[in-house]
Amino acid sequence: MRKLKVKNNEVAVYAVGGLGEIGKNMYCVQYQDEIVIIDCGIKFPEDELLGVDYIIPDYQFLIDNQKKIKALVITHGHEDHIGGIPFFLQKLNVPIWAGPFASELIKGKLKEHNLLRTTELHELQEDTVLKFRKLSVSFFRTTHSIPDTLGIAVHTPQGTVVQTGDFKFDLTPVGDLPSPDFQKMAAIGGKDSLLLMSDSTNAERPTFTKSERFVEKSIKRIFTEIQGRIIFATFASNVYRVREACEAALEQGRKIAIFGRSMENAIEAGQKLGYLNIPEESLVDAQELNNLPANKLMILCTGSQGEPMAALSRIANGTHRQISLQPDDTVVFSSNPIPGNTVSVNNLINKLDEAGVTVIHGKVNNIHTSGHGGQEDQKLMLRLIKPKFFMPCHGEYRMQMIHKKLAEQTGVPEDNCFIMKNGDVLALTRDSARIADHFSAGDVYLNDADINDNVSSQILSDRTILASEGVVTAVATINIKKHRITAGPDTISRGFIYMRESNELIHDTNKAAFHSLLNTMKQKAHPTEKDFSSNIIDDLQEFLYQKTERSPMIVPMLIFE
């Protein structure tokens, strides 16, 4: 078991994921033999991670210390905070506490992975207090773009460690839902406030983030001007935005069709908990779409981030089984691209424009506001919590640095602010803080929904080479006993050169392969199959780079007699 290099009286705070990046949030507070984990998220891969479906943290340190884990507590139900739970539970089983909406979403994930019966899942409220032998955990209400968002306070013998989760200060939430609990935050800030870990996502925006009601008015205005079908795309988990779109559609007498599994799951959870109220008679299925006038229908779907398999992308590509674009359709993007998705979103918008439909997107139309607080929200949180030490989290490095400067402006000494990396361990007492240790906390790339189906760095490297440089296969038959090449070698190119127009290069490559095999037989009296393969790879890579300044993957296909 890997033990941390901290003193017995120090509180250890570290991240397994979520520092220097957007996504993969997973933070831990440890005191002696007790660990409280906050969130368990995933990150979606960028384009260069070919064939990767999800990125999760390396859980090995927590696996090694699983006997110390007392709870996994959840701030809210977004994928970058709960998406890793099924993978985590495949490695170790720990009790989970989450708010009502996050609990419903987690249940859906556990059912999908056949983990519901074996998982201890508890629903908590904002006044819940979890008590362990040395640590306790309390919660405070925040606002974000999803219901039941909570900040978390871990109470330790040295003081209180606060993790804000994702937040903004929305003083006029839609649907008369509760606003942030300023009183509770201020109470936490008034006693033993040791460390604040705070969301850095919007640290580059020098404002307060606008209220969701600002978007509600814009959606209603835009909907009154649309005569044809409305295709409304947003994050499935943004139940507030879904609610606004549905209410605006119902006011116009439109029926609502829902597409996308995650959208269906989120709406089911929202209806169950009372965050949505869509009359049953207003919902239509795919078979009824063609029987409704265009001005009496709204299609609510996933895919606002350009995900290739989401409903909106399939509609735009013409591969959706039930929906084909019509000239008078209006597609509304009610979201901004998250980091890494800008190109995908722009490509999707271009396809929709080429199809001749109207596309409404972007800040100019006021149809989206972030769920993350800007600089003014972040400074207000700092003033309320009044931490002795500060650690910006959930953000890329430049965002963390800006957030650190904001903390200094609000009175946190520069020496008390720490820019950390995943795996760094901050050791705290009431009067001191130091980076005391580091453990491996890299990324794990997954092909599918099974943590055992992961993608190694070597596989990713091979995929990158294949995608950018192509492959050359060298085929030959060798009689090892007689030291003779009985057939070939012949080389075949895919994604490297066009063979019909490169006869000379192919001929020269065949000669280079022939000489490589001959040299292998000359160098050793009894060469092995591995000798032949490794030599032909090295020789052809060097030869082709000299000729083309490109480095395709070399795949020997050698038959030995």
Side-chain angles (χ1 to χ4, degrees):
M1 180 173 60
R2 166 74 157 84
K3 292 185 178 180
L4 296 179
K5 297 174 184 177
V6 297
K7 297 173 184 176
N8 196 50
N9 67 327
E10 290 178 321
V11 176
V13 176
Y14 47 90
V16 184
L19 299 182
E21 60 188 347
I22 301 290
K24 207 155 57 65
N25 292 279
M26 196 173 196
Y27 310 96
C28 302
V29 180
Q30 179 175 342
Y31 183 73
Q32 295 178 0
D33 60 348
E34 294 187 351
I35 298 173
V36 171
I37 304 172
I38 301 169
D39 289 338
C40 185
I42 61 171
K43 186 165 73 172
F44 292 104
E46 297 185 5
D47 292 342
E48 66 267 19
L49 294 176
L50 302 166
V52 174
D53 295 317
Y54 310 106
I55 306 172
I56 61 171
D58 183 350
Y59 302 130
Q60 190 57 51
F61 178 81
L62 294 174
I63 293 168
D64 293 342
N65 290 272
Q66 58 185 294
K67 291 182 179 179
K68 298 177 182 178
I69 299 172
K70 298 302 174 185
L72 167 59
V73 291
I74 301 300
T75 59
H76 66 284
H78 277 148
E79 286 295 299
D80 56 338
H81 295 260
I82 66 168
I85 289 175
F87 309 117
F88 186 58
L89 292 177
Q90 287 177 37
K91 290 294 184 181
L92 68 166
N93 200 347
V94 300
I96 303 171
W97 276 268
F101 192 68
S103 290
E104 288 299 316
L105 297 179
I106 292 168
K107 284 178 187 176
K109 292 180 178 298
L110 297 179
K111 285 179 184 177
E112 184 180 339
H113 291 83
N114 298 315
L115 293 167
L116 186 58
R117 293 177 63 184
T118 58
T119 301
E120 185 182 335
L121 176 62
H122 304 273
E123 184 178 302
L124 60 83
Q125 304 297 329
E126 61 184 272
D127 57 354
T128 299
V129 177
L130 308 179
K131 292 185 177 181
F132 308 106
R133 196 160 54 90
K134 299 169 183 175
L135 299 175
S136 65
V137 185
S138 63
F139 305 86
F140 55 92
R141 183 176 63 250
T142 60
T143 45
H144 185 41
S145 56
I146 189 172
D148 299 332
T149 54
L150 298 166
I152 293 174
V154 181
H155 305 278
T156 80
Q158 296 293 344
T160 302
V161 176
V162 174
Q163 222 292 340
T164 65
D166 295 353
F167 76 95
K168 68 176 181 180
F169 287 101
D170 191 340
L171 306 183
T172 56
V174 294
D176 298 320
L177 293 168
S179 59
D181 193 337
F182 287 92
Q183 290 83 0
K184 203 164 187 180
M185 294 181 213
I188 291 170
K191 54 182 179 182
D192 294 334
S193 181
L194 183 64
L195 174 73
L196 174 63
M197 293 185 281
S198 188
D199 173 20
S200 304
T201 308
N202 272 350
E204 295 172 294
R205 298 185 183 180
T207 58
F208 277 107
T209 296
K210 291 179 179 178
S211 169
E212 189 65 31
R213 285 197 187 267
F214 178 78
V215 179
E216 183 179 38
K217 294 177 183 177
S218 297
I219 289 174
K220 289 183 177 180
R221 174 183 54 79
I222 289 168
F223 276 26
T224 59
E225 299 169 357
I226 298 174
Q227 298 303 313
R229 290 192 310 184
I230 298 172
I231 301 176
F232 192 89
T234 190
F235 293 109
S237 57
N238 193 342
V239 174
Y240 300 145
R241 195 69 48 79
V242 170
R243 174 177 176 155
E244 293 156 17
C246 291
E247 288 179 350
L250 292 172
E251 285 178 11
Q252 293 186 335
R254 291 179 182 263
K255 300 287 187 179
I256 300 166
I258 301 165
F259 289 91
R261 184 176 64 177
S262 59
M263 183 68 76
E264 292 170 359
N265 292 341
I267 288 177
E268 181 182 348
Q271 293 270 74
K272 180 178 178 179
L273 296 171
Y275 294 117
L276 293 173
N277 183 20
I278 308 172
E280 192 67 32
E281 61 272 15
S282 297
L283 295 170
V284 294
D285 57 28
Q287 286 70 36
E288 299 176 77
L289 292 182
N290 295 328
N291 299 327
L292 290 168
N295 65 347
K296 294 298 179 184
L297 178 64
M298 179 183 75
I299 295 169
L300 188 62
C301 67
T302 56
S304 64
Q305 294 301 302
E307 308 96 310
M309 296 308 296
L312 185 57
S313 290
R314 289 186 284 122
I315 293 169
N317 292 328
T319 57
H320 198 285
R321 288 183 298 170
Q322 289 101 2
I323 306 170
S324 298
L325 289 173
Q326 300 173 5
D328 61 347
D329 285 345
T330 298
V331 179
V332 179
F333 281 79
S334 189
S335 65
N336 285 337
I338 61 176
N341 287 357
T342 303
V343 173
S344 299
V345 173
N346 288 341
N347 288 339
L348 179 56
I349 291 171
N350 287 335
K351 285 182 182 178
L352 292 166
D353 282 334
E354 290 170 7
V357 302
T358 301
V359 182
I360 297 175
H361 66 95
K363 296 179 182 178
V364 68
N365 293 295
N366 297 323
I367 50 171
H368 179 67
T369 184
S370 177
H372 301 269
Q375 291 183 6
E376 298 304 314
D377 302 79
Q378 292 166 351
K379 286 189 283 188
L380 179 54
M381 180 65 77
L382 282 155
R383 290 293 191 187
L384 287 167
I385 301 299
K386 302 188 191 75
K388 182 171 290 185
F389 303 103
F390 178 65
M391 175 180 148
C393 62
H394 195 190
E396 296 172 2
Y397 180 77
R398 67 184 187 281
M399 302 169 189
Q400 291 176 282
M401 284 298 297
I402 295 170
H403 205 172
K404 174 179 176 289
K405 295 295 184 184
L406 297 178
E408 293 168 18
Q409 291 173 20
T410 60
V412 182
E414 181 180 1
D415 290 343
N416 288 11
C417 297
F418 294 87
I419 303 294
M420 305 273 286
K421 296 179 180 178
N422 295 331
D424 285 348
V425 179
L426 186 65
L428 300 146
T429 69
R430 290 186 182 275
D431 303 311
S432 67
R434 64 189 180 95
I435 297 179
D437 201 355
H438 179 84
F439 59 85
S440 176
D443 291 341
V444 174
Y445 304 112
L446 300 183
N447 261 335
D448 205 348
D450 186 348
I451 196 170
N452 297 311
D453 186 14
N454 57 63
V455 184
S456 69
S457 58
Q458 182 59 54
I459 292 173
L460 276 178
S461 176
D462 289 348
R463 289 177 180 175
T464 302
I465 293 171
L466 286 168
S468 61
E469 303 288 348
V471 62
V472 171
T473 303
V475 184
T477 303
I478 302 167
N479 189 317
I480 295 181
K481 291 182 180 179
K482 295 182 179 181
H483 275 219
R484 288 175 55 192
I485 302 169
T486 57
D490 297 307
T491 51
I492 303 166
S493 168
R494 291 291 183 270
F496 172 57
I497 55 172
Y498 185 46
M499 294 184 66
R500 290 185 181 179
E501 296 179 357
S502 307
N503 289 332
E504 184 178 351
L505 179 59
I506 291 295
H507 176 72
D508 291 344
T509 305
N510 289 341
K511 286 176 63 178
F514 182 81
H515 288 299
S516 175
L517 297 174
L518 282 182
N519 288 335
T520 301
M521 288 185 280
K522 289 178 182 178
Q523 290 166 4
K524 287 190 174 183
H526 301 288
T528 65
E529 296 179 9
K530 183 178 179 181
D531 292 331
F532 283 105
S533 295
S534 60
N535 286 348
I536 201 170
I537 289 172
D538 292 342
D539 293 340
L540 288 189
Q541 281 181 339
E542 182 179 352
F543 171 80
L544 290 172
Y545 186 80
Q546 288 176 352
K547 290 288 186 180
T548 67
E549 293 189 356
R550 293 177 61 191
S551 300
M553 179 176 289
I554 308 298
V555 179
M557 293 184 64
L558 305 178
I559 302 166
F560 296 94
E561 296 178 336

